Amino acid sequence: EVQLVESGGGLVQPGGSLRLSCAASGFSFSSAWMYWVRLAPGAALQWVSGISSGGRSTAYYVDSVKGRFTISRDNAKNTVYLQMNSLKPEDTAVYYCVRELSRPPTSQGTQVTVSS
């Protein structure tokens, strides 16, 4: 059974940082592209970042987070991370990790709230 468990969210002031983690199990993690998506109140699900499979991964970002967010993965730990710096109120959302963009997330996600 595929399981994805996100953690690391919280309340942070604008300009602050958070590091999200996603522990994966039930599939061949090292062979899978992984993605972070987010759902903000009143908005549609948005793709945030993706990372390719393999040892030398390539990262991709939506324009609004480029230069602020960094995705990475540790295949030995079956975990994907999202380092978020210079957070803005518009980054407030529930963040999910997924392995297929064609399907909605089924995991719990982790809430990120950016507010003063």
Side-chain angles (χ1 to χ4, degrees):
E1 178 187 2
V2 173
Q3 285 198 328
L4 298 167
V5 180
E6 303 92 345
S7 62
L11 173 63
V12 63
Q13 292 186 341
S17 298
L18 285 172
R19 188 194 194 202
L20 307 184
S21 299
C22 172
S25 62
F27 63 99
S28 179
F29 179 80
S30 61
S31 301
W33 284 59
M34 295 297 297
Y35 310 90
W36 286 95
V37 298
R38 65 186 179 186
L39 184 61
L45 193 65
Q46 181 187 36
W47 171 81
V48 175
S49 182
I51 187 166
S52 64
S53 60
R56 299 186 67 178
S57 304
T58 303
Y60 303 87
Y61 305 94
V62 67
D63 284 349
S64 59
V65 308
K66 282 181 181 177
R68 300 189 297 121
F69 290 11
T70 303
I71 190 172
S72 62
R73 66 190 298 159
D74 185 337
N75 290 333
K77 295 182 178 180
N78 282 7
T79 301
V80 60
Y81 305 97
L82 188 67
Q83 176 67 44
M84 306 187 297
N85 299 329
S86 302
L87 282 161
K88 303 176 180 180
E90 51 263 43
D91 294 319
T92 295
V94 178
Y95 285 71
Y96 303 88
C97 66
V98 298
R99 66 183 187 122
E100 294 180 273
L101 291 175
S102 59
R103 298 182 180 183
T106 56
S107 53
Q108 186 173 359
T110 187
Q111 174 71 50
V112 172
T113 302
V114 185
S115 174
S116 55

